[in-house]
Amino acid sequence: MENFTFYSPTKFVFGKGTESEAGKLVRAFGGTKVLIHYGGGSVVRSGLLDRVKASLDEAGIPYVELGGVKPNPRSGLVYEGIELCRREGIDFVLAVGGGSAIDSSKAIAAGTVYDGDFWDFYCGKPIEKALPVGTVLTIAAAGSEGSGDSVITKEEGMFKRGASGEGIRPKFSILNPELTQTLPPYQTACGITDIMAHLYERYLTNSKDVEVTDRLIEALLITMKNEGPKVIADPNDYQARANIMWAGTMAHTNSCGVGRSQDWNSHNIEHELSALYDCAHGAGLAVTMPAVFKYVMNHDVARFTQVANRVWGVETAEEGIDAFKDFLISIGMPSTLGELGGKEEDIPTLVKNLCYGDGRDGTISGFVTLNEDDCTKIYHAMI
């Protein structure tokens, strides 16, 4: 196990009806004027947005609204939000929605107090300072409600990149599993896939003697394997929804990733798919992960064999990857590039953007360092 510092100060408020506490929590963390940032659609139709606004009214906190967040959130709306926050004197950003709304909120919060272009943070500059952020989570998936991470797509060039820093870790996150019960099965399955990806990205490590975090990751993977099919079969299974929602948060606070190197190559490779085809991130990961895992398996067969034995109950590394892929298909996820709208002739563009786009040097690094040729072969394996 390697040296580490772990700091996770987010206050989590979990359970039925907890969205009514939003105003009180904003007040407790010093907010006096709020930007409510959301997508639209179900947040409005379900009455959730009205309940959140009522809680702010009750706490005596004024607010302005900015809707319109899309899956794979875009830079254009971030710039709009930064300008709005500065003009209106906003001192707290409240995200209402899933990972896209939260990631966009974090980008706005960081950009508002920064003199330069917020995209600097998505080119590697750590985020040390930002407006405080709170969340009301509606989708168990990205884990952004408990992380210091954000992913945004830059519309000029359609580069999808991540930023990190303690400055954007949420001050509080409201987690009501009831809010996820109206999600379509496909969105639910995409969320399950994303959660499992966050676990696998940490499991694929070159660090030695990390039994504690190995076991934590394995337990959460088993939870997803057991609870995922329950909510696909019965969307109103509150207890299964609750277990999945908390597993999603635990998967990405980095409590499972401390003291060990991590991978994230599957995420980097998938980001090009959702940037180019605007597919759901979880769906892209379902296609990407088995291809990546098969390609890098021989780097550490014992590690893939361990998760195959402990989580999937099979003997070999390859059987474990196949069992994972079969599970994803069983909950309704795609398994090929074509199912995402992808085309073989796009692979050179995908590889160029992945390996060289926005200042990269030709490789991506993680469990294994992958070059242009490696990435080309992985994308071809998805066909």
Side-chain angles (χ1 to χ4, degrees), residues 149-162:
D149 303 314
S150 167
V151 177
I152 299 293
T153 298
K154 183 180 182 182
E155 287 160 300
E156 183 183 350
M158 294 305 288
F159 297 115
K160 188 174 181 181
R161 299 290 184 260

Side-chain angles (χ1 to χ4, degrees), residues 124-352:
K125 183 180 178 69
I127 302 174
E128 297 175 354
K129 184 180 179 182
L131 295 179
V133 175
T135 85
V136 180
L137 184 65
T138 61
I139 302 173
S144 194
E145 69 277 3
S147 78
D149 303 314
S150 167
V151 177
I152 299 293
T153 298
K154 183 180 182 182
E155 287 160 300
E156 183 183 350
M158 294 305 288
F159 297 115
K160 188 174 181 181
R161 299 290 184 260
S164 299
E166 288 305 320
I168 55 171
R169 194 180 292 272
K171 300 298 183 184
F172 70 82
S173 286
I174 291 170
L175 282 62
N176 176 1
E178 289 180 310
L179 301 178
T180 68
Q181 290 177 191
T182 57
L183 290 172
Y186 186 79
Q187 267 191 292
T188 297
C190 286
I192 291 166
T193 305
D194 197 9
I195 292 167
M196 297 179 85
H198 293 157
L199 295 166
Y200 263 106
E201 297 281 31
R202 291 174 167 89
Y203 202 83
L204 299 184
T205 183
N206 293 308
S207 304
K208 304 301 181 184
D209 300 315
V210 286
E211 181 73 0
V212 171
T213 43
D214 274 356
R215 292 293 189 176
L216 288 172
I217 294 167
E218 291 157 7
L220 290 166
L221 283 170
I222 291 169
T223 297
M224 301 308 298
K225 182 181 77 168
N226 293 342
E227 301 299 294
K230 293 180 183 178
V231 297
I232 299 299
D234 179 8
N236 295 315
D237 187 334
Y238 175 84
Q239 296 301 338
R241 290 278 188 187
N243 279 308
I244 288 171
M245 181 170 267
W246 189 238
T249 299
M250 292 296 294
H252 211 39
T253 62
N254 207 38
S255 56
C256 297
V258 294
R260 57 196 293 151
S261 66
Q262 300 177 19
D263 188 20
W264 302 104
N265 276 342
S266 290
H267 266 73
N268 282 322
I269 291 168
E270 190 290 321
H271 283 166
E272 301 307 327
L273 300 178
S274 47
L276 185 61
Y277 304 123
D278 204 24
C279 60
H281 177 52
L285 286 168
V287 175
T288 299
M289 285 188 288
V292 173
F293 295 173
K294 288 282 181 77
Y295 191 80
V296 304
M297 180 181 70
N298 290 330
H299 174 70
D300 190 346
V301 173
R303 177 138 292 273
F304 280 101
T305 302
Q306 178 174 283
V307 71
N309 298 164
R310 292 180 177 181
V311 173
W312 300 106
V314 295
E315 292 297 320
T316 70
E318 190 163 3
E319 286 175 331
I321 298 168
D322 288 340
F324 178 44
K325 182 176 181 177
D326 289 344
F327 170 83
L328 297 175
I329 293 170
S330 77
I331 61 172
M333 286 288 90
S335 61
T336 67
L337 187 64
E339 292 175 81
L340 300 174
K343 302 174 183 177
E344 187 172 7
E345 55 263 37
D346 293 335
I347 289 176
T349 298
L350 291 166
V351 172
K352 180 181 177 182

Side-chain angles (χ1 to χ4, degrees), residues 74-83 103-104 107-108 118 152:
R74 304 294 203 272
S75 58
L77 192 63
V78 173
Y79 288 118
E80 185 180 340
I82 291 168
E83 182 181 347
D103 283 5
S104 187
I108 291 169
F118 91 90
I152 299 293

